[in-house]
Amino acid sequence: MTLTEKDSQYLWHPYTQHKTSQTPIAISRGEGALLWDENNKEYIDAIASWWVNPFGHSNKFIADAIYKQLTTLEHVLFGGFTHEPAIKVAEKLMEILPKNQQKIFFSDNGSTAVEVAIKVALQYFFNKNEKRTTIIAFENAFHGDTFAAMAASGISFYTQAFQGMFIDVVRIPVPIKGQEEASFEALKNVIEKHNCAGFIFEPLVQGAAGMVMYEPEALSKLIGICKENNVLTIADEVMTGFGKTGKTFAMDYVDADPDMICLSKALTGGTIPMAITTFTQEVFDAFYDDDINKALFHGHTFTANPTGCAAALASIDLLQTNEMQANIERIHKSHLTFQKKIESHAKVITARTLGVIFAVEIKSDSEESYYGSMRTKLYNFFINKGVILRPVGNIVYILPPYIMTDEQLQKVYKTIEEAIEMV
Ligand SMILES: *Cc1c(COP(=O)(O)O)cnc(C)c1O
C-alpha cells in the first residue's frame, strides 16, 4: 500500500470533507523551499506550509539547536519550575517586541495564544469588578479554531455549527482603503452600546480572508479609540509576525501599541508547535494580588517546552542575520515587479504586496466562494505544475519561505500567470 492509501484508512485531515476531497499528497522529504512526494515529484512550497516556515525545510541550524536541547533537557513542567531556554526567549522577545510588552505567556499554537489573550481581556475586568464581556473583532477575521478564537473569527462556514454557543463578539468592518471612516464609526458605536473588554485584530493583513490589507494609520486610529475607552487591544500577529510584512512585526508599522500580542506560526521556524501571548505590565498587574482567585488559571501541559524554546531562539537568530533581512527585501522587490506586470491584466481585479506577502484577485463570472470551483481548478493546476499554492476563492497569494531562490520565485510567478490564462 502507498502512504496515501494507508492514510485514507485511518486519518482525518483538517478543513477536509473526506467524501468529496482529493487524496492528500504524501510528502517524504523537504529541503529549503522544496518538498518531494513519495513518488519523488518535486514541489515548490510557495506558502511556507501554512505560513510557518521562513527559513526553509529541514533547516540544519534550527535542527542542531533542537538536538542540543533534546539531549540536555527535553521538557520540564512549567508550573513551579523554570529554565534557561524560556528565560532566553523572553529576553530576546523583549528586545524585538514593541517596548510596552513586558510579560510573556507560553502555549502551543495560534488558537491557544488567542484563547489566552481573550480570557485575559475578560478576566482583567472581572478582577477589577467591572462588567465588560463583549469582544470586538473585524469582519472576515480569522483567529483560530478553539472556542473563543472561533467566536472572534468571522468566516462563517468555519463556525456556523456553533452559532449561539459563543462568547459575545461584535464585528466591525475592516478599514480597507476608502472605508476607514465606516470602520472608526462602527467601533465608536459598538463601544458606546456594549460593555467592551477587548478588540482583537490581525494587524495590517487578514491572512485567511485572502491577504486583505489595510493601512497602519487606520489601525493606529482604531487602537486610539479603544485606549480612550479603556478597551484592551489584542494584536494577533500569529501570521504577520517574524518578518512577513517586511518588519519584524506588523505592529512595527503602527504608531499605537497594543496591550497584548499573539505569536505562533513562524516563531519556531516551522519546526515545533509553540505559541506566546505577550502583555503590558499593566495587564499583568490586574492579576497580581494576594487573592489567589485573581490569578490566571490557564495552562497547557507543554507550556514553555524547552525544545520549542530552543527552536524559537535559533529561528529569531536566523531572522536577525543580514542575509535573511536581505532575502526579505529581495522577495519584496521581486513581488512589486511582478505586481506591476500583472495588475493591468484583463483578468486581474487587483494585486497587492506587503513584505513577502503577495496576493492577486482574479476575475470570475460567478460569485466565488471560499472553496468554490475556481479555487479547485486553480489549486489542481498549481499542484500539477509542482507549485504549492492554496487560493482563497478567486484570490491567489504567495507567502514564500524567505530563502526561496529567484529562480523558484520566477517559476511561481510564471505558474500564476499561466493559471490566470487558464481560468
Ligand atoms: C493560523 C492563525 C491562527 C491560528 O493558529 P493555529 O496554530 O492554527 O491554531 C490564529 N490567528 C491567525 C491570524 C492565524 O493566521
Side-chain angles (χ1 to χ4, degrees):
M1 274 208 286
T2 63
L3 288 176
T4 303
E5 282 160 356
K6 287 186 195 167
D7 173 283
S8 67
Q9 199 173 346
Y10 302 114
L11 293 168
W12 195 341
H13 286 261
Y15 309 118
T16 300
Q17 172 49 269
H18 280 272
K19 186 160 185 191
T20 54
S21 69
Q22 296 156 282
T23 49
I25 298 161
I27 296 295
S28 43
R29 174 165 81 81
E31 194 185 323
L34 299 176
L35 292 165
W36 289 271
D37 72 12
E38 60 181 328
N39 304 312
N40 218 26
K41 179 173 171 176
E42 185 180 289
Y43 299 86
I44 299 178
D45 185 357
I47 55 166
S49 283
W50 268 347
W51 324 336
V52 299
N53 190 310
F55 314 118
H57 291 283
S58 312
N59 183 286
K60 187 129 184 0
F61 183 76
I62 304 174
D64 285 345
I66 289 173
Y67 181 79
K68 200 162 156 230
Q69 189 58 48
L70 276 175
T71 47
T72 308
L73 173 68
E74 82 302 339
H75 183 67
V76 63
L77 70 165
F78 210 57
F81 294 84
T82 193
H83 50 76
E84 192 176 29
I87 292 162
K88 279 187 161 166
V89 168
E91 285 175 340
K92 194 80 204 173
L93 286 177
M94 289 306 122
E95 281 171 30
I96 61 177
L97 280 167
K99 288 287 161 274
N100 72 337
Q101 300 299 302
Q102 295 292 317
K103 288 283 187 273
I104 84 165
F105 189 94
F106 284 95
S107 63
D108 308 328
N109 58 71
S111 304
T112 55
V114 166
E115 206 76 18
V116 168
I118 291 176
K119 283 176 72 174
V120 164
L122 296 172
Q123 191 180 339
Y124 172 93
F125 290 104
F126 178 87
N127 283 359
K128 290 175 182 273
N129 283 319
E130 259 188 74
K131 192 184 159 2
R132 292 198 187 217
T133 53
T134 298
I135 298 294
I136 308 160
F138 278 139
E139 285 164 4
N140 288 321
F142 180 73
H143 296 293
D145 291 335
T146 54
F147 251 79
M150 239 196 324
S153 297
I155 299 173
S156 61
F157 64 85
Y158 279 48
T159 59
Q160 66 192 10
F162 311 102
Q163 293 305 326
M165 303 173 210
F166 290 139
I167 57 165
D168 291 334
V169 173
V170 180
R171 251 166 253 297
I172 62 169
V174 184
I176 52 173
K177 260 208 181 73
Q179 291 179 38
E180 291 93 340
E181 283 305 323
S183 182
F184 305 153
E185 285 313 307
L187 179 62
K188 287 180 200 159
N189 211 6
V190 170
I191 291 175
E192 208 180 287
K193 295 213 170 91
H194 301 261
N195 297 316
C196 296
F199 168 40
I200 185 164
F201 51 87
E202 295 156 273
L204 308 192
V205 191
Q206 290 187 298
M211 303 297 159
V212 171
M213 297 179 188
Y214 61 95
E215 297 296 317
E217 294 71 26
L219 182 54
S220 182
K221 181 104 193 251
L222 291 170
I223 292 173
I225 296 168
C226 287
K227 284 204 192 304
E228 280 164 26
N229 292 283
N230 198 22
V231 172
L232 295 171
T233 50
I234 305 165
D236 178 354
E237 292 246 16
V238 169
M239 188 282 282
T240 48
F242 303 103
K244 307 227 184 74
T245 63
K247 297 201 184 212
T248 305
F249 299 105
M251 288 310 297
D252 294 340
Y253 287 97
V254 183
D255 281 341
D257 289 334
D259 296 296
M260 307 179 218
I261 300 178
C262 305
L263 305 170
S264 188
K265 292 212 164 104
L267 171 63
T268 61
T271 57
I272 292 181
M274 172 167 268
I276 289 173
T277 315
T278 74
F279 307 94
T280 61
Q281 186 68 40
E282 208 267 320
V283 168
F284 178 81
D285 287 346
F287 293 71
Y288 189 82
D289 201 277
D290 290 323
D291 181 359
I292 188 165
N293 292 309
K294 290 197 172 172
L296 177 64
F297 282 104
H298 185 105
H300 297 281
T301 311
F302 279 98
T303 296
N305 171 251
T307 313
C309 288
L313 284 168
S315 296
I316 299 171
D317 279 350
L318 282 177
L319 177 68
Q320 291 185 316
T321 60
N322 291 336
E323 187 192 344
M324 209 55 73
Q325 292 300 315
N327 274 331
I328 292 171
E329 186 59 26
R330 172 180 59 87
I331 291 174
H332 175 66
K333 285 195 173 133
S334 179
H335 281 349
L336 288 178
T337 306
F338 180 56
Q339 179 182 329
K340 217 170 210 157
K341 180 173 177 206
I342 205 163
E343 65 193 351
S344 54
H345 191 289
K347 281 190 176 165
V348 168
I349 302 169
T350 172
R352 51 186 175 264
T353 301
L354 181 66
V356 304
I357 306 167
F358 168 86
V360 53
E361 289 186 36
I362 303 170
K363 271 189 194 143
S364 152
D365 297 335
S366 56
E367 177 78 18
E368 260 318 302
S369 68
Y370 205 93
Y371 282 111
S373 62
M374 183 192 249
R375 190 250 174 215
T376 307
K377 215 169 146 192
L378 286 167
Y379 178 78
N380 291 340
F381 181 83
F382 295 135
I383 289 295
N384 283 335
K385 296 269 176 185
V387 177
I388 301 177
L389 289 165
R390 281 177 66 97
V392 177
N394 64 326
I395 301 168
V396 176
Y397 71 84
I398 314 172
L399 204 168
Y402 309 157
I403 48 74
M404 183 174 281
T405 65
D406 285 331
E407 200 187 343
Q408 290 163 342
L409 258 182
Q410 291 307 324
K411 179 170 175 194
V412 175
Y413 296 150
K414 187 163 159 276
T415 311
I416 291 175
E417 285 184 286
E418 288 168 3
I420 291 173
E421 292 304 331
M422 182 256 333
V423 291

